[in-house]
Amino acid sequence: GQQLNQSPQSMFIQEGEDVSMNCTSSSIFNTWLWYKQDPGEGPVLLIALYKAGELTSNGRLTAQFGITRKDSFLNISASIPSDVGIYFCAGQQMDSNYQLIWGAGTKLIIKP
Amino acid sequence: GAGVSQSPSNKVTEKGKDVELRCDPISGHTALYWYRQRLGQGLEFLIYFQGNSAPDKSGLPSDRFSAERTGESVSTLTIQRTQQEDSAVYLCASSLVPSGGGGELFFGEGSRLTVL
């Protein structure tokens, strides 16, 4: 099925570094969502974006809905050990009121 | 309960056997979703329930897969004659309203299925 292009696939960073990841698509989305999945858990919603150009923060996390409506990015500032996990983007298209399209995830690993 | 509950958390089965996975959504959530997550991959949509009805079953991979929901609560995903390719984590999520209406999805911890 259709997937979003999420990059990078994985990131090895030092504690305290800033992190950036993004999702792109050839299709337009009217909602972009960012989820985090910890090992053995289901994904948990971090940030939801509903308008093109929208920039939203949640603590050290900031996400933006691209003005073309075909992309979104997530930034994490001053990473800490509990930030490790897999981050997923998900998008909602206008022709569906229930089906989200998911990226393959970005695995964040913090080097000791 | 406070969150979405799934059982079993782990299931190991032999190829050809049938398995049944259960999901208890958050009370009052009318929308319920099943996803499949293969190792290192994103979420693959399987089926969506609004109340007891499933308007879209097109995500089910084959006719060996079926799902039902009763009483606008518990849902079961059944996989008949399991194959090794069915090995994955099966995630259930519920939301108060469909995601297109702004409904946030709350996920369970998943059922990890291993087919030997």
Side-chain angles (χ1 to χ4, degrees), chain A residues 63-86:
Chain A
Q64 184 159 30
F65 192 141
I67 58 173
T68 65
R69 297 171 65 192
K70 295 181 179 180
D71 62 347
S72 177
F73 72 73
L74 174 70
N75 288 341
I76 305 173
S77 62
S79 57
I80 60 177
S82 62
D83 290 336
V84 299
I86 304 176

Side-chain angles (χ1 to χ4, degrees), chain A residues 3 35 37 40-43 45 50 88 92 97-100 102-104, chain B residues 33 35 37 41-43 45 48 56 98-100 102 104-105 107-109:
Chain A
Q3 267 208 333
Y35 281 81
Q37 185 176 30
E41 305 283 333
L45 182 65
Y50 299 107
F88 290 99
Q92 179 96 44
N97 77 331
Y98 60 85
Q99 187 167 153
L100 294 175
W102 293 78
Chain B
Y33 312 75
Y35 286 90
Q37 185 178 28
Q41 297 188 20
L43 278 65
F45 170 81
Y48 157 75
D56 185 357
S99 58
E104 176 183 348
L105 269 63
F107 283 86
E109 295 183 348

Side-chain angles (χ1 to χ4, degrees), chain B residues 43-89:
Chain B
L43 278 65
E44 177 188 359
F45 170 81
L46 296 180
I47 192 169
Y48 157 75
F49 286 92
Q50 179 56 42
N52 295 336
S53 65
D56 185 357
K57 301 181 181 180
S58 63
L60 295 176
S62 74
D63 58 7
R64 296 186 295 105
F65 287 71
S66 63
E68 64 176 23
R69 186 180 187 195
T70 55
E72 290 200 354
S73 58
V74 173
S75 175
T76 54
L77 177 68
T78 301
I79 309 172
Q80 295 179 308
R81 305 181 301 281
T82 52
Q83 303 293 313
Q84 289 183 330
E85 69 213 37
D86 299 334
S87 296
V89 175

Side-chain angles (χ1 to χ4, degrees), chain A residues 20-81:
Chain A
S20 184
M21 61 191 78
N22 69 83
C23 272
T24 62
S25 173
S26 58
S27 303
I28 290 174
F29 288 85
N30 64 346
T31 301
W32 283 95
L33 307 166
W34 285 93
Y35 281 81
K36 183 193 177 195
Q37 185 176 30
D38 290 326
E41 305 283 333
V44 174
L45 182 65
L46 299 174
I47 293 179
L49 303 159
Y50 299 107
K51 291 173 59 177
E54 181 180 355
L55 184 72
T56 298
S57 293
N58 178 6
R60 293 177 295 106
L61 277 62
T62 302
Q64 184 159 30
F65 192 141
I67 58 173
T68 65
R69 297 171 65 192
K70 295 181 179 180
D71 62 347
S72 177
F73 72 73
L74 174 70
N75 288 341
I76 305 173
S77 62
S79 57
I80 60 177

